[in-house]
Amino acid sequence: MTPAIKIARNLFLLCCCIAAVSFTFKNTITAKVEKDKILVFSKTNGYRHESIETGIEAIKKLGAANNFDVDATEDSTYLNDANFKKYKAVVFLCTTGTVLGKPEEQALQNYIHNGGGFVGVHAATDCEYDFAWYDKMIGANFLSHPRQQEAKLIVVDNTHASTKHLPATWVRKDEWYNFKNMNPDVKVLIKIDETSYEGGKNGDNHPMAWYQPFEGGRVFYTELGHTIESYTEKNYLQHLLGGIQYAMGKK
């Protein structure tokens, strides 16, 4: 073999090695930057909140700024075992009435039992009244609400991702729910001071946000988020983001 042929062969082998290393490195980088995903579900079969569309866009912006992707749907049949495998958490955004069929109810249970995360926002407690497992999972049922007004919120746990940025007393305007069938096992994050507004019916123990590990999964609920203005409010968006991150399993 002549020297020229040897040089050509060695150059060819070197190029092959470089190409192989480059391909492996590229695939490794691609795998590393693949983002987690969450699903926003906002079907309504009752009152429809005007803030839903604004809320979806706000959550997408939170995802873009915090390295997770966001899909959104109002098609309940999309909530099945195969699709749930794509998502770190599902957000029920102001859902109302009966929004799930029996197959979707079972798929949601399977998802939680397999370690999935759930976030309920505002009217997520105003749906699925005939689905007892859901009621226990989300932590309460909607009872009633007075007119929208300013009230004083008390942060009772400032160690959670959804509350650590908040002041001890948080004054804001929203629509304040009264609850029934409250699950005593939830871990309360925020309570409302009923002396600070008119129409409260839960007394001194009136939770507004909570979380719980539940049957293998993670559940976060915030009553806040009725108004369109909520989704441009810095403290509220950070509160919601913290709840989403908890549900996703982020430390």
Side-chain angles (χ1 to χ4, degrees):
M1 182 181 296
T2 66
I5 292 176
K6 287 182 178 180
I7 292 172
R9 184 193 65 179
N10 290 339
L11 285 174
F12 175 77
L13 293 175
L14 178 62
C15 288
C16 289
C17 288
I18 292 172
V21 170
S22 177
F23 179 80
T24 302
F25 181 77
K26 181 178 179 181
N27 283 351
T28 301
I29 294 298
T30 300
K32 286 183 178 179
V33 300
E34 184 176 345
K35 294 181 180 179
D36 291 332
K37 296 177 71 173
I38 70 168
L39 177 66
V40 178
F41 179 63
S42 56
K43 181 178 178 179
T44 55
N45 193 16
Y47 180 83
R48 184 172 181 85
H49 286 73
E50 293 180 351
S51 60
I52 286 176
E53 282 69 32
T54 305
I56 292 171
E57 291 307 309
I59 294 171
K60 287 182 177 180
K61 289 179 181 178
L62 289 176
N66 293 276
N67 201 38
F68 60 87
D69 288 331
V70 179
D71 291 339
T73 187
E74 296 200 355
D75 179 4
S76 60
T77 64
Y78 186 78
L79 276 62
N80 57 55
D81 290 336
N83 286 332
F84 268 134
K85 291 178 181 179
K86 304 174 187 177
Y87 301 106
K88 289 288 187 178
V90 57
V91 180
F92 274 38
L93 178 64
C94 291
T95 46
T96 55
T98 300
V99 293
L100 302 176
K102 293 299 181 183
E104 293 81 49
E105 291 177 356
Q106 186 60 58
L108 180 60
Q109 290 186 70
N110 295 343
Y111 176 64
I112 294 297
H113 293 162
N114 289 327
F118 178 92
V119 174
V121 178
H122 193 57
T125 50
D126 187 23
C127 72
E128 295 300 309
Y129 289 96
D130 296 327
F131 185 14
W133 179 89
Y134 178 90
D135 299 340
K136 185 178 180 182
M137 183 269 296
I138 198 169
N141 291 134
F142 166 79
L143 174 63
S144 63
H145 66 78
R147 62 180 174 84
Q148 293 177 42
Q149 57 195 291
E150 190 174 89
K152 184 187 295 183
L153 300 172
I154 308 299
V155 176
V156 297
D157 180 353
N158 64 0
T159 65
H160 194 267
S162 66
T163 55
K164 63 184 180 181
H165 67 289
L166 293 174
T169 301
W170 185 18
V171 178
R172 67 188 300 275
K173 181 180 180 181
D174 213 320
E175 182 179 77
W176 308 116
Y177 280 5
N178 298 306
F179 295 107
K180 60 183 179 180
N181 303 326
M182 289 188 286
N183 183 346
D185 296 331
V186 302
K187 303 178 186 301
V188 177
L189 296 164
I190 299 173
K191 296 197 298 186
I192 194 165
D193 180 355
E194 287 197 356
T195 68
S196 68
Y197 74 107
E198 298 177 352
K201 295 185 181 298
N202 290 119
D204 293 336
N205 184 27
H206 191 159
M208 284 285 112
W210 55 79
Y211 73 101
Q212 64 168 330
F214 186 78
E215 297 185 3
R218 299 163 304 280
V219 177
F220 171 83
Y221 172 76
T222 181
E223 186 279 342
L224 288 59
H226 171 91
T227 66
I228 292 175
E229 292 78 13
S230 295
Y231 298 95
T232 57
E233 181 188 343
K234 183 177 179 180
N235 272 345
Y236 173 72
L237 289 174
Q238 187 64 38
H239 168 64
L240 180 57
L241 174 63
I244 290 171
Q245 290 173 328
Y246 164 75
M248 292 174 70
K250 303 289 186 180
K251 292 185 179 180

